[in-house]
Protein backbone atom coordinates (compact mmCIF):
# COMPACT_ATOMS: atom_id res chain seq x y z
CA UNK A 1 0.00 0.00 0.00
CA UNK A 2 1.40 3.37 -1.04
CA UNK A 3 0.81 6.28 1.36
CA UNK A 4 0.75 9.64 -0.36
CA UNK A 5 2.86 12.54 0.92
CA UNK A 6 -0.37 14.32 1.85
CA UNK A 7 -1.45 11.40 4.09
CA UNK A 8 2.00 11.22 5.68
CA UNK A 9 1.72 14.93 6.48
CA UNK A 10 -1.65 14.37 8.18
CA UNK A 11 -0.23 11.54 10.27
CA UNK A 12 2.69 13.68 11.41
CA UNK A 13 0.35 16.47 12.56
CA UNK A 14 -1.75 14.00 14.55
CA UNK A 15 1.38 12.59 16.17
CA UNK A 16 2.54 16.07 17.17
CA UNK A 17 -0.89 16.96 18.59
CA UNK A 18 -1.01 13.72 20.55
CA UNK A 19 2.42 14.44 22.06
CA UNK A 20 1.28 17.96 22.96
CA UNK A 21 -1.81 16.56 24.72
CA UNK A 22 0.35 14.22 26.80
CA UNK A 23 2.70 17.12 27.62
CA UNK A 24 -0.17 19.35 28.81
CA UNK A 25 -1.68 16.54 30.91
CA UNK A 26 1.66 16.01 32.67
CA UNK A 27 2.11 19.74 33.28
CA UNK A 28 -1.41 20.12 34.63
CA UNK A 29 -1.05 17.14 36.94
CA UNK A 30 1.84 18.90 38.70
CA UNK A 31 0.31 22.35 38.96
CA UNK A 32 -2.55 24.18 40.66
CA UNK A 33 -5.57 23.66 38.48
CA UNK A 34 -7.83 26.40 37.12
CA UNK A 35 -11.12 24.70 36.24
CA UNK A 36 -12.25 27.33 33.73
CA UNK A 37 -8.96 27.23 31.82
CA UNK A 38 -8.96 23.43 31.73
CA UNK A 39 -12.52 23.38 30.37
CA UNK A 40 -11.63 25.94 27.69
CA UNK A 41 -8.49 24.00 26.75
CA UNK A 42 -10.47 20.76 26.53
CA UNK A 43 -13.12 22.29 24.25
CA UNK A 44 -10.56 23.88 21.92
CA UNK A 45 -8.49 20.72 21.60
CA UNK A 46 -11.71 18.74 21.13
CA UNK A 47 -12.65 21.00 18.20
CA UNK A 48 -9.24 20.43 16.62
CA UNK A 49 -9.18 16.66 17.12
CA UNK A 50 -12.92 16.12 16.79
CA UNK A 51 -12.92 13.91 19.89
CA UNK A 52 -13.47 15.87 23.08
CA UNK A 53 -14.55 12.80 25.02
CA UNK A 54 -11.13 11.13 24.70
CA UNK A 55 -9.36 14.24 25.92
CA UNK A 56 -11.78 14.69 28.83
CA UNK A 57 -11.10 11.13 29.92
CA UNK A 58 -7.33 11.75 29.85
CA UNK A 59 -7.70 14.98 31.85
CA UNK A 60 -9.84 13.33 34.50
CA UNK A 61 -7.49 10.37 34.90
CA UNK A 62 -4.61 12.78 35.61
CA UNK A 63 -6.54 14.25 38.55
CA UNK A 64 -8.21 11.44 40.51
CA UNK A 65 -10.61 12.47 43.31
CA UNK A 66 -9.02 13.02 46.71
CA UNK A 67 -9.80 10.38 49.33
CA UNK A 68 -10.33 11.96 52.72
CA UNK A 69 -8.69 10.02 55.56
CA UNK A 70 -10.98 8.60 58.23
CA UNK A 71 -10.18 8.11 61.90
CA UNK A 72 -12.71 5.56 63.15
CA UNK A 73 -11.20 5.39 66.65
CA UNK A 74 -11.41 9.13 67.27
CA UNK A 75 -15.16 9.18 67.92
CA UNK A 76 -14.96 6.19 70.26
CA UNK A 77 -12.10 7.64 72.32
CA UNK A 78 -13.77 11.06 72.44
CA UNK A 79 -16.98 9.54 73.79
CA UNK A 80 -15.05 7.55 76.38
CA UNK A 81 -13.03 10.61 77.40
CA UNK A 82 -16.11 12.79 77.83
CA UNK A 83 -17.89 10.09 79.82
CA UNK A 84 -14.91 9.75 82.16
CA UNK A 85 -14.72 13.50 82.75
CA UNK A 86 -18.45 13.72 83.44
CA UNK A 87 -18.21 11.03 86.10
CA UNK A 88 -15.17 12.65 87.71
CA UNK A 89 -16.79 16.10 87.73
CA UNK A 90 -19.71 14.82 89.79
CA UNK A 91 -17.39 14.10 92.72
CA UNK A 92 -14.51 16.48 92.03
CA UNK A 93 -15.47 19.97 90.75
CA UNK A 94 -11.86 20.88 89.90
CA UNK A 95 -12.01 18.41 86.97
CA UNK A 96 -13.99 21.02 85.00
CA UNK A 97 -10.73 22.97 84.60
CA UNK A 98 -9.37 20.28 82.28
CA UNK A 99 -10.58 20.92 78.73
CA UNK A 100 -11.12 18.64 75.73
CA UNK A 101 -10.51 20.30 72.38
CA UNK A 102 -11.94 18.45 69.38
CA UNK A 103 -9.89 18.74 66.19
CA UNK A 104 -10.65 17.26 62.78
CA UNK A 105 -8.04 14.52 63.00
CA UNK A 106 -7.08 14.48 66.68
CA UNK A 107 -8.11 15.24 70.26
CA UNK A 108 -6.29 17.65 72.54
CA UNK A 109 -6.48 17.66 76.33
CA UNK A 110 -5.60 20.98 77.93
CA UNK A 111 -4.20 20.97 81.47
CA UNK A 112 -3.90 24.54 82.84
CA UNK A 113 -0.93 25.28 85.09
CA UNK A 114 -2.98 26.81 87.91
CA UNK A 115 -4.29 23.39 88.97
CA UNK A 116 -1.50 21.27 87.49
CA UNK A 117 1.67 22.80 88.96
CA UNK A 118 2.65 25.43 91.49
CA UNK A 119 4.17 28.59 90.01
CA UNK A 120 7.68 27.91 88.71
CA UNK A 121 7.47 24.22 89.69
CA UNK A 122 7.30 21.04 87.69
CA UNK A 123 5.97 18.85 90.50
CA UNK A 124 2.44 17.70 89.69
CA UNK A 125 -0.36 18.50 92.09
CA UNK A 126 -2.35 15.53 93.48
CA UNK A 127 -5.46 16.65 91.55
CA UNK A 128 -3.67 16.27 88.24
CA UNK A 129 -2.28 12.86 89.11
CA UNK A 130 -5.81 11.76 90.02
CA UNK A 131 -7.10 13.10 86.68
CA UNK A 132 -4.39 11.34 84.66
CA UNK A 133 -5.13 8.04 86.38
CA UNK A 134 -8.79 8.47 85.53
CA UNK A 135 -8.24 8.85 81.78
CA UNK A 136 -5.95 5.83 81.40
CA UNK A 137 -8.81 3.71 80.09
CA UNK A 138 -9.39 6.09 77.18
CA UNK A 139 -5.67 6.56 76.43
CA UNK A 140 -5.11 2.81 76.23
CA UNK A 141 -7.44 2.48 73.24
CA UNK A 142 -5.56 0.67 70.42
CA UNK A 143 -6.85 3.11 67.79
CA UNK A 144 -4.53 5.79 69.23
CA UNK A 145 -1.38 5.86 67.14
CA UNK A 146 0.60 8.60 68.86
CA UNK A 147 0.39 10.63 72.08
CA UNK A 148 2.24 13.94 72.05
CA UNK A 149 2.76 15.71 75.38
CA UNK A 150 3.61 19.41 75.04
CA UNK A 151 4.78 21.75 77.77
CA UNK A 152 4.00 25.48 77.41
CA UNK A 153 4.89 28.58 79.43
CA UNK A 154 4.33 32.33 79.31
CA UNK A 155 7.11 34.72 78.28
CA UNK A 156 8.04 36.11 81.70
CA UNK A 157 11.76 35.96 82.58
CA UNK A 158 13.17 34.56 85.80
CA UNK A 159 13.30 30.87 84.87
CA UNK A 160 14.44 29.01 81.79
CA UNK A 161 11.08 28.49 80.07
CA UNK A 162 12.46 25.78 77.78
CA UNK A 163 13.63 23.67 80.70
CA UNK A 164 10.45 24.34 82.69
CA UNK A 165 8.17 23.36 79.81
CA UNK A 166 10.21 20.20 79.20
CA UNK A 167 10.14 19.19 82.87
CA UNK A 168 6.39 19.73 83.12
CA UNK A 169 5.71 17.62 80.04
CA UNK A 170 8.03 14.95 81.41
CA UNK A 171 6.16 14.92 84.74
CA UNK A 172 2.89 14.18 82.93
CA UNK A 173 4.58 11.51 80.82
CA UNK A 174 6.01 9.74 83.88
CA UNK A 175 2.56 9.43 85.47
CA UNK A 176 1.03 8.02 82.28
CA UNK A 177 3.87 5.53 81.88
CA UNK A 178 3.45 4.39 85.48
CA UNK A 179 -0.34 4.27 85.68
CA UNK A 180 -1.44 3.37 82.14
CA UNK A 181 -0.73 0.31 80.04
CA UNK A 182 0.60 2.20 77.03
CA UNK A 183 3.77 1.30 75.08
CA UNK A 184 6.55 3.84 75.45
CA UNK A 185 6.90 3.99 71.68
CA UNK A 186 3.54 5.76 71.38
CA UNK A 187 4.72 8.81 73.30
CA UNK A 188 6.43 11.96 72.08
CA UNK A 189 7.61 14.78 74.32
CA UNK A 190 7.84 18.43 73.24
CA UNK A 191 9.08 21.53 75.07
CA UNK A 192 7.47 24.61 73.50
CA UNK A 193 8.27 27.29 76.13
CA UNK A 194 6.45 30.48 75.04
CA UNK A 195 6.49 29.80 71.29
CA UNK A 196 2.85 28.63 70.95
CA UNK A 197 0.66 30.98 73.00
CA UNK A 198 -3.11 30.61 72.88
CA UNK A 199 -3.66 34.09 74.33
CA UNK A 200 -1.82 37.37 74.74
CA UNK A 201 1.16 37.46 77.10
CA UNK A 202 0.47 41.15 77.80
CA UNK A 203 -2.17 40.47 80.47
CA UNK A 204 -1.96 38.22 83.52
CA UNK A 205 -5.12 36.39 82.42
CA UNK A 206 -3.60 35.70 79.02
CA UNK A 207 -0.34 34.47 80.53
CA UNK A 208 -2.29 32.13 82.82
CA UNK A 209 -3.92 30.51 79.77
CA UNK A 210 -0.56 30.11 78.06
CA UNK A 211 0.94 28.21 81.00
CA UNK A 212 -0.32 24.72 80.30
CA UNK A 213 0.42 21.14 79.29
CA UNK A 214 -1.33 19.62 76.29
CA UNK A 215 -1.87 15.95 75.53
CA UNK A 216 -2.53 15.42 71.82
CA UNK A 217 -4.03 12.13 70.66
CA UNK A 218 -3.45 11.12 67.05
CA UNK A 219 -5.28 8.16 65.57
CA UNK A 220 -4.65 5.36 63.14
CA UNK A 221 -5.80 6.27 59.67
CA UNK A 222 -8.33 4.43 57.59
CA UNK A 223 -9.18 5.46 54.03
CA UNK A 224 -12.32 4.91 51.99
CA UNK A 225 -11.91 2.02 49.61
CA UNK A 226 -8.87 0.48 51.30
CA UNK A 227 -10.75 -2.44 52.79
CA UNK A 228 -11.31 -5.39 50.51
CA UNK A 229 -14.85 -6.57 50.08
CA UNK A 230 -15.66 -9.91 51.64
CA UNK A 231 -15.76 -12.84 49.27
CA UNK A 232 -13.28 -11.29 46.81
Amino acid sequence: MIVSSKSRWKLSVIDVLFILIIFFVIVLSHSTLDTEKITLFRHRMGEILGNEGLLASAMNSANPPMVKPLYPGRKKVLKKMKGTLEKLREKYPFIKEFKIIELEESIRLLLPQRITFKSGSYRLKPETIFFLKGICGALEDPSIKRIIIKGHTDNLPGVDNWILSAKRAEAVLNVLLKECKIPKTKFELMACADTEPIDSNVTSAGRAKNRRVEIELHFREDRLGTKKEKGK
Side-chain angles (χ1 to χ4, degrees):
M1 177 180 177
I2 301 173
V3 180
S4 67
S5 58
K6 186 177 181 180
S7 298
R8 286 197 298 269
W9 181 83
K10 286 182 180 179
L11 289 173
S12 299
V13 170
I14 292 173
D15 290 340
V16 171
L17 288 174
F18 186 71
I19 292 170
L20 284 173
I21 292 170
I22 295 174
F23 171 76
F24 281 119
V25 169
I26 293 172
V27 171
L28 288 169
S29 67
H30 292 278
S31 63
T32 303
L33 302 183
D34 186 322
T35 307
E36 292 183 1
K37 290 182 179 178
I38 292 175
T39 303
L40 179 61
F41 168 75
R42 190 176 65 194
H43 284 313
R44 292 292 170 85
M45 292 302 294
E47 290 174 1
I48 295 172
L49 297 176
N51 193 347
E52 183 180 338
L54 178 62
L55 182 61
S57 177
M59 298 291 287
N60 292 332
S61 64
N63 298 280
M66 295 295 291
V67 179
K68 187 176 181 179
L70 301 176
Y71 302 91
R74 177 185 171 280
K75 187 176 181 180
K76 179 177 61 173
V77 172
L78 182 61
K79 183 179 180 180
K80 190 183 297 185
M81 191 76 68
K82 286 182 175 180
T84 300
L85 262 63
E86 285 298 325
K87 290 179 181 179
L88 292 174
R89 283 172 188 157
E90 293 175 2
K91 293 184 178 180
Y92 309 99
F94 68 85
I95 295 294
K96 67 182 180 182
E97 299 290 335
F98 298 104
K99 306 295 183 182
I100 298 177
I101 302 174
E102 300 178 37
L103 303 174
E104 186 177 354
E105 300 179 356
S106 61
I107 299 172
R108 183 179 298 162
L109 297 174
L110 196 151
L111 287 61
Q113 174 265 321
R114 62 181 174 273
I115 60 170
T116 309
F117 304 95
K118 291 182 178 179
S119 180
S121 171
Y122 52 84
R123 187 182 296 275
L124 281 168
K125 291 183 178 181
E127 298 97 312
T128 305
I129 296 175
F130 178 83
F131 167 76
L132 294 173
K133 288 181 179 180
I135 63 172
C136 276
L139 298 181
E140 290 168 356
D141 193 282
S143 66
I144 297 175
K145 181 180 180 181
R146 196 165 75 253
I147 302 174
I148 305 175
I149 304 174
K150 296 182 178 182
H152 301 269
T153 67
D154 57 29
N155 66 345
L156 292 181
V159 296
D160 188 320
N161 286 326
W162 287 105
I163 293 177
L164 183 60
S165 62
K167 290 289 187 181
R168 285 178 171 175
E170 185 182 17
V172 172
L173 171 63
N174 288 336
V175 173
L176 295 179
L177 286 174
K178 180 181 178 181
E179 302 295 338
C180 307
K181 298 177 181 178
I182 304 174
K184 293 181 179 180
T185 52
K186 279 192 177 184
F187 288 100
E188 290 183 21
L189 203 67
M190 292 182 65
C192 301
D194 60 345
T195 61
E196 296 182 7
I198 56 175
D199 208 320
S200 171
N201 275 311
V202 175
T203 65
S204 59
R207 290 193 295 272
K209 290 182 180 180
N210 292 331
R211 297 190 297 268
R212 67 201 189 277
V213 172
E214 294 176 347
I215 303 175
E216 284 188 6
L217 309 180
H218 295 262
F219 297 87
R220 300 187 185 282
E221 187 177 306
D222 184 23
R223 290 182 178 272
L224 286 170
T226 56
K227 293 183 178 181
K228 293 182 179 179
E229 295 181 14
K230 292 182 178 181
K232 288 188 177 181

